[in-house]
Structures are given as structure tokens and as C-alpha cells.
Amino acid sequence: MDSPARTPPPSPGTLGDVLVDWFAEAARDLPWRRPDTDPWAVLVSEVMLQQTPVARVEPVWRDWMARWPTPAALAAASPAEVIRAWAKLGYPRRALRLRETAVALTERHGGVVPADVAALEALPGIGTYTARAVACFGHGRPQPVVDTNVRRVVARLVHGRAEAAPARAADLTDVAALAPADPGRAVRFSVAVMELGALVCVARTPRCTACPVRTNCAWRLAGCPAPEGPPRRVQKFAGTDRQVRGRLLDVLRGAEGPVAAPQLHEAWADAAQRSRCLDSLLADGLVEQTADGRFTLPTG
């Protein structure tokens, strides 16, 4: 008696379609994903979301888009206004880079965000990930968009590894192979796989029972092997230069004019660390020193 035929595993394209259908039901309602969101708003969201959680980004993004709805509007703002509006998102150099991008868009592209990846990458502060994300999510052009979450999903689903290896050129090929053939669904796939990594296929405690492609996941089929090598150290924040820089900027944001050095002393007790962080803020263009030795946010 012949044995029953085995059902072949789904093709990569089929897995992509499964993720698109899952995303239609499970996606978070984020304002920069709505149909009326223009490419500039998508670009701003992508820069803000770098190393910053969605919950912290959303209110700041809404304020920015109400205040500076176009590249030309942001380009006309002063660096000090931009740094103040950045609030506590962290890594405030991104605020100045966004303003530099807005100036470049206004001067080179007539205030319009281009759809071409190469043109986007030529803008100040825009890397490969952000360029592809804006082309895909802002302009609706199918692109493999690879961030940390996507690399982790592909590592598990395709390669059977608990964690992603260091970034490599083949990541784009791996993601492109999973995407549906239909261009519109390919665009939605790019955000769907990112959402899966953010909500389900998370780093430490993946929610495998909620995963729409769990039966085809190479990592699960291999018995969920543990990560190779020693566990990664969790980056602390308390007491770091990042915290000190933020404290110093908080003082300057709340001041109506230049601040004397003794006022900054109150922000952090360790004089050596405070001095080092102030020097780094000056070097990054986030702080300026006046002729009389006081400190202020950049004026132009």
C-alpha cells in the first residue's frame, strides 16, 4: 500500500502572503502607517524610531508634524527650536540631522522627498535602511527593508538560528525571497515582517504560539536551539555619558538664555564626567559657548 503523499512545505512567497494576511488583523494603528501619510512624515518617523520605542516617539512625532509638516518648514527652524522639540527622545544629534535633511530636500529637491533609494541615501544622515523604508512605506515602492527585528525573524524562520548574525548583504536577498510577487502585497510584507519581529518574534521570549508561520519556522523545527556564544550584555543607562548629556541638555532647554557653568554643575556631580560630556555636546554641535563663557543651544 502506498504511503500517503506528504504536503510540500509552503514556498517563500506563500509565507510572505501569510504574513501580509496576519498583518491586516494584528497591525498596530500607528499614525505614520495611515494611507494619508506623506513620505516626509514617514521619513521623520523612521529617524525618530531609531533606537527609540514607539510609545515615546508617537507624541513627539505628532507635535513635529503639526509644527513642521513639510521639509521647508523644518529647514526654516533654528537648531535650538529643533533640539527643544526633540524633548527626551534620546540621541539628540538625530534632531540636527533631520533639520540638515530638510535643508537638503528644500535646496536639492524643491521640498519633495524623492522615491529613489540612491537619491535618498545621498541626503545627510540617511542610511540604507531609512532610504529603503521611505521608498517602501512612503512611496509604495516594493523594497526589502531590513532592521534588527527583520533580521531576527529571518534568522529564525529561514536559517534556524535563535539570533541574527552580524548584518550582511545577503539579508536583503533573504527578505526579498520571502516577499509576495504582487507589488502592493510586497510593500505590506515589508512592514508585516517588521511588525512580527516587534510584537511576536521578539528577542528574549518569542511568542511562538501566536506566530502565523510557526509551523514553517526552521528554528522551531530544529527544537529552538539556544543562541551561540555568551549571552549579550544588556546596555545600562544610569550613570552613562548618555544620561549626563541628557541632563545637561535639559538645563539648556529649560533656560530662556545662555547658562553659566555653575548652573550646569547642578545637573551632574561628577566634574570630570560632566566636563567630558559638555565637550562632546560642543563637538556634536548640540551646544554652543558664548563669548563670555556661558553655554546655550545652537543659534544657527
Side-chain angles (χ1 to χ4, degrees), residues 92 244-245 248-249 276-287:
V244 180
R245 282 164 57 99
L248 295 171
L249 283 178
R276 180 176 70 246
C277 291
L278 182 58
D279 286 345
S280 72
L281 290 170
L282 289 164
D284 286 345
L286 292 163
V287 174

Side-chain angles (χ1 to χ4, degrees), residues 258-299:
V259 168
Q263 290 176 260
L264 294 177
H265 295 174
E266 299 174 5
W268 198 257
D270 186 326
Q273 187 179 21
R274 185 180 64 243
S275 178
R276 180 176 70 246
C277 291
L278 182 58
D279 286 345
S280 72
L281 290 170
L282 289 164
D284 286 345
L286 292 163
V287 174
E288 292 179 352
Q289 190 166 17
T290 62
D292 61 1
R294 293 180 296 169
F295 299 92
T296 183
L297 295 177
T299 55

Side-chain angles (χ1 to χ4, degrees), residues 54-69:
V54 167
R56 289 174 57 197
V57 166
E58 185 170 347
V60 178
W61 179 88
R62 290 182 183 278
D63 289 344
W64 270 57
M65 297 317 302
R67 189 171 183 179
W68 299 306

Side-chain angles (χ1 to χ4, degrees), residues 101-141:
T101 300
V103 170
L105 287 169
T106 303
E107 294 177 348
R108 302 179 200 170
H109 299 280
V112 176
V113 178
D116 179 70
V117 170
L120 287 161
E121 287 180 325
L123 295 169
I126 301 299
T128 297
Y129 163 78
T130 304
R132 288 181 172 276
V134 172
C136 188
F137 308 144
H139 287 285
R141 293 193 173 186

Side-chain angles (χ1 to χ4, degrees), residues 12-237:
T14 303
L15 290 177
D17 282 315
V18 170
L19 288 179
V20 171
D21 293 340
W22 166 83
F23 181 74
E25 300 295 329
R28 290 169 291 180
D29 181 20
L30 303 178
W32 45 83
R33 289 179 177 170
R34 293 172 185 167
D36 58 346
T37 304
D38 65 23
W40 168 242
V42 171
L43 190 156
V44 172
S45 74
E46 289 296 339
V47 173
M48 288 184 170
L49 286 164
Q50 294 167 9
Q51 299 177 286
T52 307
V54 167
R56 289 174 57 197
V57 166
E58 185 170 347
V60 178
W61 179 88
R62 290 182 183 278
D63 289 344
W64 270 57
M65 297 317 302
R67 189 171 183 179
W68 299 306
T70 65
L74 182 59
S78 72
E81 289 178 288
V82 170
I83 293 171
R84 283 194 173 94
W86 193 255
K88 292 183 177 294
L89 285 186
Y91 301 101
R93 187 74 182 86
R94 290 179 294 168
L96 294 184
R97 285 204 302 267
L98 255 179
R99 181 178 176 274
E100 292 164 7
T101 300
V103 170
L105 287 169
T106 303
E107 294 177 348
R108 302 179 200 170
H109 299 280
V112 176
V113 178
D116 179 70
V117 170
L120 287 161
E121 287 180 325
L123 295 169
I126 301 299
T128 297
Y129 163 78
T130 304
R132 288 181 172 276
V134 172
C136 188
F137 308 144
H139 287 285
R141 293 193 173 186
Q143 294 283 342
V145 183
V146 181
D147 70 351
T148 301
N149 287 326
V150 172
R151 289 176 55 243
R152 183 171 57 252
V153 170
V154 172
R156 290 172 177 167
L157 179 62
V158 177
H159 300 295
R161 295 194 301 261
E163 295 179 347
R168 57 199 179 98
D171 291 337
L172 293 174
T173 303
D174 287 344
V175 175
L178 291 169
D182 176 77
R185 289 181 69 80
V187 169
R188 291 192 290 279
F189 164 78
S190 288
V191 67
V193 67
M194 196 174 293
E195 191 80 335
L196 186 75
L199 300 182
V200 176
C201 195
V202 295
R204 295 190 178 182
T205 53
R207 300 171 51 233
C208 294
T209 57
C211 179
V213 291
R214 61 187 177 277
T215 57
N216 307 104
C217 176
W219 183 59
R220 287 191 73 247
L221 293 173
C224 302
E228 298 177 0
R232 295 182 180 181
R233 297 176 62 182
V234 178
Q235 186 179 16
K236 66 176 184 177
F237 176 72

